[in-house]
Amino acid sequence: MKTRAVRLYGKEDLRLEEFELPSLQEDEILAKVISDDICMSSYKSAHQGPAHKRVPDDVAVNPTIIGHEFAGVIVEVGKKWQGAFRPGEKFSIQPAINYPGGPVGIHSAPGYSYKYCGGDATYVIIPNEVMQQNCLFPYYGDAFYPASLSEPISCVIGALHAHYHTVPGTYQHQMEIKEGGKMALLAGVGPMGLAMINYLLYREGPVPSLFVVTDIDQGRLDRAETLYTREMFAARGIDIRYVNTSAGDPVALLRELSGGTGYDDVVVMAPVPAVVEQADAILGFDGCLDFFSGPKNPDFSARLNFYNVHYEAHHIVGTSGGNSDDMKEAIDLMGKGMDPAGLVTHIGGLGAVIDTTLNLPSIPGGKKLIYTHIDLPLTAIADFGASDNPVLQELDRICEAHGGLWNVEAETYLLNHADKL
């Protein structure tokens, strides 16, 4: 079977190509990709090439398919997996498979490391290790975009599960954010920050009593507050504050909002030294600093107060992706009403992937959602109505009827009426 895919050959070398997939082996699965979200991690791998931990050294001669937040339909199942999966079944995938035998060892991941498996493709072959590590999930939702977004949601789930606090007088750690504590999300209204806000609103685990979300872009803060209102959080017993820290002394402001105690849990959503140092300065006793957003620069560093590490029990955690349990939790929450549509601000087809991936930080908004079998330039949902494309004009009407958000009806209309590749 032929596929069309965006493949990585080296630093800033992405190519949209058509090629033949190899014959399916008995321990593999052939799948049709429907949707993929473009992630900052793809931007980093595209710019770093083989210097990226998940990209093979020989990518110049064995290019890999990019895109790791994808969903689709199973087409054919190899003999080994026929009892677990079936053709026609929708799927979501956890790319952080943590499989030592993969192309780059433990860091191997679909969307970075594999010649025939990545989200920015029409058809892929899912390798045995994905199923072996329980990282392929049947999905039963009405639309594909929540399945694609289950991967970024799983990342924020994994991050909060990795937080910990100490028990005085013991060497025990209590995993998770502090129940009823004070939490700050810094640079928190980008795509992944919105994912964390959305998750905190619906999660069944511990939640803070005070949740402060910061950014320096008032427009993004206003959009976040419209999507996830103070009233919605108050119903869960959470006092959420959206705070612009572009002027004045952000540390003094944030410490004042905490009542002078500092925060039990602080999450850094941007790899900026000043933001990391701000997080360190607002931690309270036994505070946990979560450095969520992985830096592009391997020499990235920031100043931390190690006096407080010693005397105030400050500690640092960081995660890179979720695991299978985190993905299951994400899919389960979506089945219980959590709709991640607020994360999506742009829609496009496979031809838009290269430019979008290479220039992702300069494109404003949230998630850029790609439908791999259609021909459509990357277009902001807010700009649908200004287009002379009748499909986008109808999508504008549909999205307006859903509060300006992407939705099941819009996806169904797009897949049925947009130009195909």
Side-chain angles (χ1 to χ4, degrees), residues 136-388:
L136 186 67
F137 303 99
Y139 172 74
Y140 304 103
D142 294 327
F144 289 92
Y145 75 85
S148 280
L149 288 164
S150 66
E151 195 282 333
I153 294 291
S154 80
C155 293
V156 301
I157 290 173
L160 293 195
H161 288 333
H163 281 233
Y164 72 92
H165 296 277
T166 61
V167 179
T170 76
Y171 299 107
Q172 298 174 12
H173 290 168
Q174 295 180 327
M175 302 306 296
E176 269 287 357
I177 63 172
K178 187 173 182 180
E179 174 68 49
K182 299 172 183 177
M183 178 174 172
L185 183 66
L186 306 188
V189 291
M192 294 307 293
L194 293 176
M196 186 164 288
I197 297 168
N198 195 13
Y199 171 56
L200 265 175
L201 189 59
Y202 285 90
R203 78 182 316 231
E204 297 173 354
V207 295
S209 59
L210 174 67
F211 182 34
V212 178
V213 179
T214 78
D215 205 87
I216 58 174
D217 185 322
Q218 191 59 47
R220 296 206 307 176
L221 283 163
D222 291 342
R223 181 176 185 270
E225 187 167 6
T226 299
L227 292 171
Y228 310 111
T229 67
R230 297 189 68 173
E231 291 75 19
M232 294 165 70
F233 273 91
R236 290 218 61 189
I238 303 170
D239 178 11
I240 188 169
R241 310 284 185 92
Y242 292 96
V243 179
N244 190 324
T245 55
S246 61
D249 182 347
V251 170
L253 172 62
L254 294 173
R255 289 196 69 89
E256 181 181 357
L257 286 174
S258 75
T261 64
Y263 295 83
D264 302 291
D265 298 279
V266 180
V267 183
V268 175
M269 301 301 292
V272 177
V275 179
V276 176
E277 292 167 9
Q278 183 184 119
D280 177 52
I282 65 171
L283 281 176
F285 181 80
D286 192 35
C288 185
L289 191 163
D290 181 348
F291 183 52
F292 179 90
S293 185
K296 178 182 173 182
N297 180 2
D299 296 322
F300 178 90
S301 62
R303 298 197 324 171
L304 297 178
N305 185 326
F306 277 86
Y307 180 92
N308 286 337
V309 169
H310 188 86
Y311 289 106
E312 296 293 319
H314 289 182
H315 35 273
I316 303 170
V317 299
T319 54
S320 179
N323 61 24
S324 296
D325 288 338
D326 301 326
M327 182 72 84
K328 291 174 184 176
E329 183 178 344
I331 293 172
D332 179 64
L333 287 175
M334 290 178 192
K336 295 177 179 177
M338 185 177 75
D339 185 350
L343 280 64
V344 179
T345 57
H346 294 67
I347 305 296
L350 190 61
V353 168
I354 293 176
D355 185 66
T356 303
T357 302
L358 292 176
N359 298 287
L360 191 58
S362 64
I363 305 173
K367 282 287 186 181
K368 283 69 182 176
L369 180 62
I370 299 297
Y371 288 94
T372 63
H373 289 262
I374 68 168
D375 182 15
L376 181 71
L378 187 75
T379 308
I381 295 172
D383 294 337
F384 283 172
S387 173
D388 57 5

Side-chain angles (χ1 to χ4, degrees), residues 6 32-40 42-43 65-72 91 93 95 110-112 117-122 124 144-152 344 346-350 352-354 356-357 360 367-374 378 406 411 415:
V6 176
K32 178 180 181 179
V33 179
I34 302 297
S35 62
D36 178 67
D37 297 313
I38 298 181
C39 176
M40 273 298 295
S42 293
Y43 165 81
I65 301 176
I66 68 166
H68 59 277
E69 299 180 1
F70 63 102
F91 72 86
I93 195 166
Y112 302 90
C117 189
D120 291 316
T122 51
V124 298
F144 289 92
Y145 75 85
S148 280
L149 288 164
S150 66
E151 195 282 333
V344 179
H346 294 67
I347 305 296
L350 190 61
V353 168
I354 293 176
T356 303
T357 302
L360 191 58
K367 282 287 186 181
K368 283 69 182 176
L369 180 62
I370 299 297
Y371 288 94
T372 63
H373 289 262
I374 68 168
L378 187 75
W406 195 241
E411 179 183 281
L415 294 176

